[in-house]
Amino acid sequence: MDFVPAFAADQLGVMSDPNKNKTAERKPVFKTLSGLPVACLYTEENLPGEAAEHPGFPGEFPFTRGIYPTMYRSRLWTMRQYAGYGTAAESNKRYQYLLSKGQKGLSVAFDLPTQIGMDSDHALAAGEVGKVGVAIDSLADMLTLFEGIPLETVSTSMTINATAAILLCLYVAVAKKQGASLAKLAGTIQNDILKEYIARGTYIYPVRPAMRIVTDIFAWCKDALPKWNTISISGYHIREAGSTAIQEVAFTLADGIAYVEAALDAGLAVDDFAPQLSFFFNAHNDLLEEISKFRAARRLWARIMKERFAAKDPRSLTLRFHAQTAGSSLTAQQPENNIVRVGIQALAAVLGGCQSLHTNSLDEALALPTEDSALIALRTQQIIAHETGVANTIDPVAGSYAIESLTSQIENGATEYLNKIDALGGMLSAIDCGYVQTEIQKAAFDYQHAVESKEQIVVGVNEFQAEEARQIPTLRIAPALEPEQVARLRALRAKRDSAKTKATLSELERRARTEENLLPAILAAVENFATVGEISDALRRVFGEYQESVVW
């Protein structure tokens, strides 16, 4: 080192001799949001050998710097705002509005009954119809949802898991009625059932038959929907449940490993399905940690696919991911502050190399987004893309001592978790024994304790509070929505060809008792106007329902 400015020499001195020229610091210990220790200064000495030599190039194994050689210089990430509420007609209006404002892809939110395979007139659906997403009971609703939207040219993501096969078939049925080429359909179904048992809870069937449905989707889409992403392996909800960044990476990739193993056990070749695997991560508040998390996940997955599963197709090694800003970080107090939080989180996702991004709205701690707040969220992405310059240079943070060090720390920590899960017999066993759930619960408890003790400041909540609560406009779902949806559903049942519908459901139930692929039977059922609840019930009769074990 030929020349070190005085201030840098002082800081380096602090690192080598804590008692030399040390100025009192704000905290006794500095940590990331997830609890990783943060050094006062990072230098080349903090880097592992590989990163110290060269961080690599984008588009090249292990893809630390991005999965494409030119990244956003060729094409910006897809701005895919998650939306859906009330009826299919209301949601269609919101989609048309967002598309008119420059959104490039759709992301569908379904209501709770749809997610757990219950029709809108089910007794347990009362009070939940259209509340947290759009109510979809049948092909009639799906046709309304996408009316006037050409599916051949719009990429659609659907946040659906236990009923993913049904909603995918409904989407295909709409595309067929539009005359679209199925070979051109692009989009994603979340279809990540394992994280439902870990963190989210919208499961229906026991784990193993649920995994069978997932691999049936893999196999069917290989030929029927070659451009479709058959799963979005989701760390987002794991983080929302309270995990750390390291746990988010580890448990998400452990789920990914379980899906790859299940597909191989079902007789699929790794390079036949792995290129269509995708991931979904949380973009949280700690800017440097989040950027590093995305880079670490990409690098670790590439090595897993190459070394553990001997994948040969370069596309099988790439971790393509959608990011969503952290809903759990949003506060009901001083809700306008959420605009700043979302902007920082979105910047982390972009600097981390996401392929698509949803930005939450400022009012989501209070209600579903209003049209105005949804537009601000979309504009946040557009400002980052077109005004900040960060999309003009590929992985501009590479080579930062802090970023490269944190990337390696997160990768190493996630690897330790993966080794523990392997020792337990894999992710299914780790879920069965409650290991994963317990680790997340511990992390969530530690974070809440940090907030309550003010070790972790949340602006407007435990510090810098406002004297008076701030009122902002919020979206309200009309009480008449539910009875109107129920009436439409019952009218559909009355006018459809009941004999044909019943025959398709019987065929589905027969297939479920065999090893035949379920998707052709599900598609036939939806095309004959069988409902989401009826199809789910046919599978319930064969598979049963999952009963959650309480983990202490």
Side-chain angles (χ1 to χ4, degrees), residues 78-394:
T78 300
M79 299 176 193
R80 190 188 302 281
Q81 292 299 105
Y82 184 49
Y85 67 94
T87 65
E90 287 178 303
S91 293
N92 177 268
K93 289 177 184 177
R94 177 63 64 88
Y95 298 154
Q96 299 279 13
Y97 172 77
L98 290 170
L99 289 169
S100 75
K101 299 300 181 183
Q103 179 173 301
K104 298 302 183 183
L106 299 177
S107 182
V108 183
F110 298 97
D111 73 355
L112 186 58
T114 304
Q115 292 185 51
I116 58 176
M118 292 179 180
D119 288 332
S120 294
D121 61 350
H122 193 288
L124 294 179
E128 294 291 345
V129 176
K131 290 293 176 68
V132 298
V134 61
I136 298 293
D137 289 311
S138 72
L139 179 55
D141 291 327
M142 205 71 162
L143 287 165
T144 302
L145 184 66
F146 292 106
E147 185 176 356
I149 299 172
L151 301 190
E152 195 174 284
T153 60
V154 173
S155 170
T156 303
S157 172
M158 294 187 282
T159 301
I160 199 73
N161 297 281
T163 54
I166 304 171
L167 272 297
L168 176 61
C169 287
L170 285 167
Y171 190 84
V172 168
V174 173
K176 288 171 68 176
K177 285 187 175 291
Q178 289 186 358
S181 166
L182 300 190
K184 294 181 180 179
L185 288 190
T188 305
I189 42 171
Q190 195 162 98
N191 195 30
D192 176 4
I193 199 62
L194 291 179
K195 65 95 174 50
E196 298 298 329
Y197 304 110
I198 296 169
R200 192 164 178 263
T202 62
Y203 43 71
I204 301 175
Y205 316 110
V207 177
R208 280 156 184 82
M211 289 290 282
R212 177 254 179 103
I213 297 172
V214 171
T215 56
D216 277 2
I217 291 170
F218 289 179
W220 187 72
C221 287
K222 182 176 79 72
D223 298 317
L225 299 175
K227 291 181 66 177
W228 195 265
N229 296 324
T230 52
I231 194 168
S232 179
I233 305 163
S234 301
Y236 182 85
H237 308 93
I238 292 170
R239 191 66 179 276
E240 289 290 283
S243 80
T244 66
I246 288 175
Q247 289 171 342
E248 181 186 357
V249 171
F251 299 155
T252 306
L253 299 194
D255 282 347
I257 289 168
Y259 291 124
V260 173
E261 290 174 340
L264 295 175
D265 290 344
L268 301 177
V270 65
D271 288 320
D272 283 346
F273 66 87
Q276 294 310 115
L277 302 178
S278 64
F279 290 80
F280 175 26
F281 287 109
N282 198 299
H284 221 292
N285 280 334
D286 194 315
L287 183 69
L288 301 187
E289 180 176 61
E290 292 300 291
I291 297 169
S292 304
K293 177 187 77 180
F294 299 130
R295 299 171 91 247
R298 201 159 41 232
R299 187 161 76 197
L300 185 52
W301 184 249
R303 289 173 174 163
I304 288 168
M305 292 305 293
K306 183 177 182 178
E307 297 166 8
R308 185 167 183 156
F309 295 112
K312 299 292 190 292
D313 187 335
R315 297 175 303 156
S316 299
L317 311 180
T318 58
L319 184 147
R320 295 172 300 120
F321 76 95
H322 171 74
Q324 179 174 337
T325 56
S328 61
S329 74
L330 304 184
T331 64
Q333 300 92 331
Q334 302 175 35
E336 291 94 339
N337 293 345
N338 294 330
I339 298 174
V340 181
R341 293 185 177 103
V342 168
I344 292 168
Q345 293 163 7
L347 181 61
V350 170
L351 289 173
C354 69
Q355 277 59 67
S356 64
L357 176 62
H358 164 87
T359 33
N360 288 331
S361 300
L362 68 97
D363 49 358
E364 289 192 50
L366 300 166
L368 292 174
T370 64
E371 200 168 81
D372 288 344
S373 67
L375 182 59
I376 292 171
L378 175 60
R379 292 291 188 248
T380 300
Q381 294 202 48
Q382 292 165 335
I383 289 168
I384 291 172
H386 299 290
E387 296 187 22
T388 65
V390 297
N392 299 338
T393 298
I394 306 160

